[in-house]
Every structure is written in structure tokens, then in C-alpha cells.
Amino acid sequence: MPRSAIVLGAGMVGVSVALHLRRRGYDVVLVDRREPGEGASFGNGGLIQREAVFPHPFPREAREIGRVAWNRSIDVRYHPLAMPGFMAPLLRYWWHSEPARYAAAVEGHAALIRTCLDEHLALARGTPAMALLRPIGWMRLYSSAPMLEAALAQAEQARREYDVNYVALDGAALAEAEPHLLAARAGAIHWTDPLSVSDPHALVLAYAGFFQQEGGAFRIGDAATLRRAGSGWAVRTADGEVEAGEVVIALGAAAGEVTRPLGYAPPLFGKRGYHMHYGLRGNAVLHRPVLDTESGFLLAPMRAGIRLTTGAEFARPGAPATPVQLERAEPVARGLLPLGERVEGVPWMGVRPCTPDMLPVIGRLPGQAGAWCAFGHAHQGLTLGPTTGRMLAEMMTGEQPFVSPEAYRAERFLRRGMAA
Ligand SMILES: Cc1cc2nc3c(=O)[nH]c(=O)nc-3n(C[C@H](O)[C@H](O)[C@H](O)COP(=O)(O)OP(=O)(O)OC[C@H]3O[C@@H](n4cnc5c(N)ncnc54)[C@H](O)[C@@H]3O)c2cc1C
């Protein structure tokens, strides 16, 4: 009899896990309370980030912490009343961002990132999904020469140690590359390896389509109804209860809601982000995504228009949207590009699922036979979905995982004290 699995969560991560399991002969039911790709995977910046070998650390310099603490910046914002709930994970995040520990996070992160282009291309090549993956890279703009120099030193380290490619541009070269920028910048780093997705939702739907064409099933259902059924697992869906031998929890920022009742409470926390699309005035074009480092927002040319995505917002899970960062970013963005009208009436909001050690949780759910984790991909879940899907499917079938899974084991959050 073929082995069977329920995959909970149909974002980029869950869809990729489901597809890889199906291709290894599993009977798979993918379950989400919404249609595939309507969580964080819907509205992100669309970057397949081959350059992102250095995960986002918690700031360690007092000046930087002070800047964020004022709560007036564009890139980071917090709801003051939510902060007590964030203290424990953020303290651990700060602890893991100390240089020696951060080096370990970089090793773990880079090992996944190195594979991201090949793993996306392995799914998309020879299919219409290829048209969504544009090989144009993206640019990070810097306002001051010292900032640019510091960034170039790190870019050079990324090239030396992790085979990341980039081109350095001074102000004039940047103006030539993107002639419709309205404001001058000291220069930019053009990361040339990354793919820029013209519609991230369409990419998730494409991979979910392959899964269903190849015999996988998708059901609407609530993951909170997960229960043990004999030696396997069952979950209620709109089409009745489904049962399978194994279950994969790929619920993004909501994963803890399902793992906690099963005895596993990872220190997962959410960083919310918003997006809005704009037209461009006149004959203006933007050739590739640009991130304005000083103000921390991304402008990406997409099917729906120029997508402005914002940095991190800390708020209680389920708290109403407060797109203050978008309101702050928009005037700066209008000074950078001749943006036209807003395309949507209401900004989109999504939640990046983050862990304090900046690494995702991929592997067995401790203490629960036949249950597996695939969540916590933070700022790079669109990038790392296919990598995670392949790795976890290989672990489940007993193959040798193509990336060593040690650094991502769920057990690392079972230990007591700050090291956990
Ligand atoms: C503004 C912004 C910009 C970003 N830019 C990038 C980028 O450029 N590149 C990149 O790689 N990453 C980017 N990210 C991060 C990326 O979007 C996430 O890491 C990724 O989408 C996480 O994928 P996921 O499948 O784990 O989670 P999700 O896509 O959130 O999927 C989880 C799914 O679980 C479902 N679910 C939750 N609870 C239940 C329940 N009880 N029952 C049933 N279903 C449930 C949800 O409906 C959802 O479909 C960005 C994120 C944001 C917010």
C-alpha cells in the first residue's frame, strides 16, 4: 500500500512538500482553510533570494536599537501593547544575533539558500511557470557612500564564501540602469543571481496545479481539528474527515497553534508586512525590484503594477491591520519613482513566520510518531519552499536528504535556557 500524508497549509512551503511527496509515490491530501497561496506566500516581494545567505539579525548596536525603539521608522514598527508577548522570543533572537552565534545561523541559512534557484527551476522548467521567473536580479540602493562601502564589503564576503554574484554601481551607473528614478543615490548593489517572480500567488498556484494534475488532492479544512486516528492522523475538511499515516505541519506563522496541543511550543513569532500596487506615470518603467535601504521598503515591478512591500511590524496575532509603514513609505517611494494611483482600495497584509535562531524548523515533530514540521522560513519562505519540500520528502521516505537536516531539527527548541 502507498504511504499517505496530510499536509496542513497550502503556502509555498506546504505546496512544495505536498508536490515532492506526491512525486515519491505518497497519497497526499493538502489542506488549508483557504485556497492555495493566500497566506504570506500571496503578497511578498517575489524574490527568489539566492543572495540571502546572511539572515536578518536582531540589531546589536545601541544606536540602531534606539532608532527602532522610537517607533517612528519606516522599516520596523511595533504595537507597544503587544511587546510583552514578544519579549521572550526577541530576547532569544538578540542572543542568537551575537556574532559567533550568528555565524552558525549564516552557515545553516546559506546551506539552504545555495539550492534555491535549482530547486525552483527543477519544478518550473518546461512548464508555463517559467514565464513567472524573471532572471533579472534585484538592486539594493544606498544613500551614503559609507553605507555602500560597508555593504560592498559584506557582498564581497558573500561572493568569496557562498558564490553569490553581484555588480557594484555608483550613482551614475545606477541612474543609467534605472533611468526613471527621480532621486539620486550614492550607488547600489545589483544582486544578479536572484529570480524575480512577476506574481508570487500565481507561482504557488502553478505548483499546486502540478500537485493536483499528478494525483494529489486539495481540501478546504481547519488544521485545528487535527487528531490522532489509530497509528495515523485525521483532520476535518469541507468534504468530510480525511485520514493518513503521516501529517506535515506547514502552517507558516500559525504552526504553533497546532503543535502546542501536541506538546511542542516553538518560540515562533510573526513579522507582519504590507503591500500595495501602483501604476507608473507617463512612459516610466522600473526594470527590476529596488530596495531603498535607508527607508527599508521594496518596489518590485509585477503583473499587478509596482508592488511596494514594507518591512517588519510586531503586533499580536490576529490584531487588525495597521498599515502605518505603508503610509510612511509611500511619500518616499513617490520621491523615488513617478508612481501613479493606488491599484487596490485596501493594503494587503501577511505574516513572516520567524524563529529566534533565524533558521526554519524542518523535520520530525518531537514526541509524535508520523508528524513532521516545515515552518519558520521568515523573510525567505518563497525562496526556500521547494528546497524544504524536497528535503522533508527525502527525510520522510528515508532517503539521504540533499541538505544535511541537523541545523533545522525541531528538537533544538526543546532544550532549556538561552541556548534553546
Ligand atoms: C511583505 C513581505 C515580503 C516578503 N518578501 C519575500 C521575498 O521577496 N522572498 C521570499 O522568499 N520571501 C518573502 N517573504 C516571506 C514569505 O512570504 C514567507 O516566508 C512565506 O510565504 C511563508 O510560506 P509558508 O508556506 O510557510 O506560509 P504561508 O504562505 O503563510 O502559508 C501558510 C498557510 O497555512 C494556512 N493556515 C493557517 N492556519 C490554518 C488552519 N488553522 N487551518 C488550515 N489552514 C491554515 C494559511 O491559510 C496559509 O495558506 C515576504 C513576506 C512578507 C510579509
Side-chain angles (χ1 to χ4, degrees):
M1 231 174 67
R3 290 171 71 175
S4 59
I6 297 166
V7 177
L8 298 174
M12 180 49 91
V13 175
V15 165
S16 301
V17 172
L19 180 56
H20 273 283
L21 283 174
R22 182 69 204 132
R23 289 188 172 171
R24 283 165 179 75
Y26 265 70
D27 275 342
V28 185
V29 184
L30 177 63
V31 177
D32 198 297
R33 60 184 165 201
R34 295 187 276 178
E35 293 294 326
E38 295 188 1
S41 301
F42 181 92
N44 50 62
L47 303 175
I48 310 292
Q49 289 187 263
R50 174 60 183 89
E51 89 299 340
V53 291
F54 301 114
H56 287 268
F58 192 94
R60 300 280 303 181
E61 286 174 21
R63 222 178 65 177
E64 178 63 4
I65 296 175
R67 182 185 73 81
V68 171
W70 277 106
N71 214 10
R72 294 202 190 122
S73 60
I74 300 179
D75 55 344
V76 183
R77 183 172 180 269
Y78 58 90
H79 291 187
L81 292 178
M83 290 323 280
F86 277 96
M87 278 309 159
L90 288 190
L91 194 59
R92 287 165 81 160
Y93 185 16
W94 174 83
W95 190 85
H96 280 287
S97 300
E98 178 275 331
R101 294 179 203 109
Y102 181 68
V106 172
E107 283 312 307
H109 206 252
L112 297 173
I113 288 287
R114 272 180 186 281
T115 70
C116 67
L117 298 177
D118 287 346
E119 294 310 308
H120 270 282
L121 292 173
L123 298 185
R125 200 174 274 120
T127 79
M130 272 310 278
L132 299 165
L133 303 176
R134 300 169 299 183
I136 53 177
W138 65 280
M139 280 188 192
R140 200 171 176 117
L141 317 186
Y142 293 90
S143 305
S144 77
M147 275 169 78
L148 178 61
E149 270 165 39
L152 282 170
Q154 205 189 40
E156 199 39 44
Q157 187 192 349
R159 165 146 59 198
R160 219 175 33 244
E161 296 175 17
Y162 304 105
D163 305 318
V164 168
N165 294 299
Y166 70 92
V167 175
L169 287 84
D170 62 13
L174 170 61
E176 200 176 319
E178 292 294 351
H180 293 103
L181 288 183
L182 299 171
R185 291 287 183 264
I189 294 179
H190 178 190
W191 301 106
T192 50
D193 301 315
L195 297 166
S196 164
V197 182
S198 55
D199 183 342
H201 182 217
L203 189 65
V204 182
L205 288 179
Y207 294 170
F210 305 156
F211 165 71
Q212 287 176 279
Q213 285 150 25
E214 293 173 30
F218 172 74
R219 300 278 181 268
I220 297 287
D222 185 353
T225 62
L226 180 71
R227 65 173 185 86
R228 272 259 173 225
S231 61
W233 297 89
V235 71
R236 279 208 298 278
T237 76
D239 303 291
E241 193 167 69
V242 294
E243 282 191 28
E246 292 166 82
V247 64
V248 179
I249 296 159
L251 293 163
E257 291 166 26
V258 170
T259 65
R260 272 192 295 274
L262 298 172
Y264 179 62
L268 205 57
F269 61 96
K271 289 186 190 172
R272 311 204 304 190
Y274 298 86
H275 88 215
M276 174 56 69
H277 294 103
Y278 302 84
L280 275 177
R281 284 190 275 116
N283 62 352
V285 286
L286 178 65
H287 294 298
R288 57 184 52 77
V290 293
L291 191 148
D292 196 39
T293 303
E294 199 174 337
S295 28
F297 61 81
L298 180 81
L299 291 167
M302 295 219 179
R303 270 182 179 170
I306 300 293
R307 178 178 289 187
L308 190 167
T309 53
T310 63
E313 184 186 56
F314 296 88
R316 281 199 187 112
T322 49
V324 175
Q325 287 159 291
L326 183 69
E327 301 304 332
R328 290 177 183 166
E330 188 177 304
V332 184
R334 287 190 184 283
L336 195 59
L337 259 189
L339 295 179
E341 297 293 306
R342 286 184 168 199
V343 172
E344 297 92 4
V346 181
W348 171 88
M349 186 189 83
V351 186
R352 303 173 183 92
C354 302
T355 62
D357 65 2
M358 293 157 272
L359 297 176
V361 180
I362 306 169
R364 286 187 181 280
L365 179 67
Q368 298 288 346
W372 302 83
C373 302
F375 54 80
H377 294 75
H379 294 254
Q380 272 90 37
L382 181 77
T383 300
L384 294 176
T387 295
T388 301
R390 176 171 164 195
M391 228 178 111
L392 190 73
E394 288 172 344
M395 292 167 81
M396 290 172 69
T397 52
E399 294 162 71
Q400 177 73 33
F402 82 118
V403 177
S404 168
E406 195 55 31
Y408 324 105
R409 291 171 75 231
E411 285 82 357
R412 70 188 195 272
F413 292 127
L414 285 178
R415 282 179 247 131
R416 295 200 152 271
M418 292 297 285

